[in-house]
Amino acid sequence: MQYPKLITIALSLLFIGEYSIACAVGSLDLQERSHNTQYQIVLDASQNKTKLFLYQYNQNSNMPTSIRALSQKVHYPGVADVPILELSDYLDTLFTPQLADQLQNLMIDPRKNSTILTHIQFYSTEGMRLLSPPERQSKNTFIKLWLIHWVRTHNLQIEPQQIESRTLSGSEEGAYTWVATNYAENHFQGVFSGIAKLGPVSSQITYHDPNLTNVNITVGETQYPLTSKSFPLGQELLAEKLAKIDACFLTGYRPSSNGDYFSCKAQIKTLIRNKINVPVPNAAEVSHYNLLSNFYYTARFFGIERNYSLTALEDQAEKFCNLNWEMAKAEHSNVDEKYLANYCLGAAYQSTLLTHNYHISDPQQLHPVNEFNHRKIAWSIGVILTKRYQELY
């Protein structure tokens, strides 16, 4: 029997009594309580950090409204990099006594006696997707049992069945991002925007598509058929694979590098073609995309986030790639050299991914974005809004 499995079994035995008691507490008839103001904890456990959000929202109609984060906390590193024997200490830094006090006060405040904590959802993404299935399952099982114990210890009235710890598929992460973005942009009014998101390890593209649907997602009473695809094509992952390609790094960065944007782009195109198939045939039919994460940060670096186009990206990237390393450091002294070194490569990769793999072109509107109305886009908002998620294949 593998060591992680032994640990999980031991922890299961440790917490089994707590789970049984919590089930009894959770048998309260929650339907008798008003569902006007509700609370939900969602954790975004990404590749290099975990963010905890305590959300408050009103459930006056089919769709939650007035969603806001009452509190949030960030902890490093990503949960995938934490040994299972250290997970308890890791979770202690997120689920603090202060958070428990805050929840208890919300539950007993007579002015809010209709409130309810509906879910605790510890959702991990790309970092955990890289682990082996047994290791991933061991960590998710540990986290759920730990959370049940924490809830019981602090006398929080939430059913164990409403406590989740699991790793999202890339398609699910993309779908929640699509929901969060279209909600923030226009509350699902008018034409839907697609999203293209580029993280360190994976990339997602998601758009409304009744013809080649692989995901159905329900918001309110409306079901949205989507194409939502995820690929192991994150920017940091590609940077590792291209670390020895001299054309992708500025002249002088190392003795052999020569900073040639178009040569770098050609080698990226070959690498992607040889490694993975990217089937998104209807992506070119979507009129508008919001570009997230590394797409946004690259556009901001080049100063084109307000007038973005593939042509503008290519023009600015070619100019940057022609700089020598010392000149680039002088011009961008406020940028960490670790990131500065990868902007030539990153721009070439992004241009290749959008044009040759997603089939997006300049007639389509592309909008690098990090927030709407001064509120950062977070896929965890999509979790709050989604009533049902279904992956078709």
Side-chain angles (χ1 to χ4, degrees):
M1 184 178 293
Q2 294 182 348
Y3 186 57
K5 190 172 181 181
L6 281 168
I7 294 172
T8 302
I9 292 171
L11 289 165
S12 300
L13 292 172
L14 176 64
F15 290 138
I16 192 70
E18 298 289 351
Y19 184 89
S20 300
I21 296 170
C23 283
V25 172
S27 65
L28 296 170
D29 185 7
L30 298 177
Q31 298 303 316
E32 293 179 2
R33 303 178 68 177
S34 168
H35 285 212
N36 183 20
T37 302
Q38 297 188 0
Y39 299 90
Q40 192 163 332
I41 294 174
V42 183
L43 291 100
D44 169 5
S46 63
Q47 193 247 351
N48 58 4
K49 60 182 175 290
T50 297
K51 297 179 185 177
L52 182 150
F53 299 93
L54 170 59
Y55 286 114
Q56 174 186 290
Y57 56 93
N58 294 332
Q59 191 67 57
N60 293 322
S61 59
N62 292 323
M63 185 185 297
T65 60
S66 304
I67 303 170
R68 66 188 184 100
L70 285 185
S71 61
Q72 54 186 294
K73 186 174 180 63
V74 181
H75 187 52
Y76 298 85
V79 68
D81 293 329
V82 179
I84 197 164
L85 288 174
E86 298 175 16
L87 268 180
S88 184
D89 290 340
Y90 183 89
L91 293 167
D92 276 334
T93 63
L94 291 162
F95 291 87
T96 61
Q98 292 78 16
L99 175 63
D101 289 345
Q102 182 182 16
L103 292 169
Q104 288 167 346
N105 289 335
L106 289 170
M107 296 302 107
I108 65 175
D109 187 337
R111 294 169 300 174
K112 299 184 175 71
N113 59 11
S114 64
T115 60
I116 182 173
L117 178 63
T118 62
H119 294 81
I120 300 176
Q121 291 154 294
F122 194 109
Y123 286 169
S124 51
T125 55
E126 54 188 3
M128 288 278 274
R129 288 197 290 263
L130 292 177
L131 299 182
S132 68
E135 185 177 3
R136 186 166 59 238
Q137 182 58 46
S138 292
K139 286 191 173 184
N140 281 327
T141 299
F142 177 95
I143 291 167
K144 175 160 183 172
L145 292 170
W146 190 97
L147 289 173
I148 291 170
H149 176 72
W150 183 81
V151 163
R152 174 58 184 160
T153 298
H154 294 284
N155 197 29
L156 300 173
Q157 294 185 2
I158 178 172
E159 297 186 49
Q161 294 84 350
Q162 302 307 107
I163 299 173
E164 295 181 77
S165 176
R166 63 184 179 88
T167 301
L168 303 184
S169 70
S171 296
E172 188 170 5
E173 181 186 350
Y176 290 144
T177 305
W178 182 89
V179 170
T181 305
N182 279 280
Y183 175 80
E185 187 174 25
N186 58 19
H187 284 68
F188 295 96
Q189 303 300 312
V191 178
F192 302 121
S193 295
I195 65 100
K197 180 181 178 184
L198 182 58
V201 175
S202 62
S203 62
Q204 286 88 35
I205 181 169
T206 306
Y207 49 91
H208 188 248
D209 187 357
N211 297 315
L212 287 173
T213 303
N214 73 306
V215 164
N216 278 322
I217 199 158
T218 304
V219 179
E221 295 301 314
T222 304
Q223 185 180 90
Y224 298 96
L226 305 176
T227 288
S228 186
K229 298 288 187 178
S230 180
F231 309 101
L233 295 171
Q235 189 155 302
E236 287 184 10
L237 209 60
L238 261 289
E240 291 176 8
K241 295 181 182 298
L242 297 164
K244 296 182 180 180
I245 304 299
D246 289 328
C248 294
F249 296 90
L250 303 190
T251 300
Y253 177 72
R254 59 181 177 232
S256 57
S257 57
N258 62 346
D260 185 327
Y261 172 77
F262 289 104
S263 177
C264 176
K265 187 174 177 180
Q267 295 191 62
I268 290 171
K269 186 177 177 181
T270 300
L271 175 65
I272 297 175
R273 183 173 62 242
N274 292 340
K275 292 290 184 182
I276 195 165
N277 182 32
V278 182
V280 285
N282 290 341
E285 305 301 318
V286 179
S287 62
H288 180 267
Y289 280 92
N290 288 307
L291 306 181
L292 309 171
S293 298
N294 277 317
F295 288 118
Y296 168 78
Y297 295 120
T298 298
R300 189 177 67 176
F301 173 80
F302 288 124
I304 57 174
E305 68 268 35
R306 297 185 184 279
N307 58 342
Y308 186 92
S309 69
L310 293 170
T311 300
L313 174 64
E314 201 148 83
D315 287 346
Q316 293 301 314
E318 184 182 7
K319 290 177 184 176
F320 178 78
C321 292
N322 285 336
L323 296 175
N324 65 55
W325 178 235
E326 294 303 320
M327 187 181 299
K329 288 193 293 182
E331 289 187 7
H332 302 280
S333 58
N334 61 327
V335 179
D336 189 315
E337 291 183 15
K338 176 179 65 176
Y339 300 114
L340 185 64
N342 283 331
Y343 274 112
C344 177
L345 176 153
Y349 169 53
Q350 292 173 26
S351 174
T352 302
L353 186 66
L354 291 171
T355 56
H356 294 286
N357 299 107
Y358 293 168
H359 314 294
I360 291 172
S361 58
D362 268 342
Q364 293 165 280
Q365 296 177 352
L366 304 176
H367 182 203
V369 63
N370 194 40
E371 61 181 34
F372 285 107
N373 300 318
H374 306 292
R375 295 184 64 182
K376 286 192 175 182
I377 298 166
W379 61 255
S380 49
I381 294 285
V383 174
I384 301 291
L385 290 162
T386 298
K387 290 180 67 174
R388 184 169 182 265
Y389 173 85
Q390 180 185 20
E391 229 169 280
L392 303 181
Y393 63 88

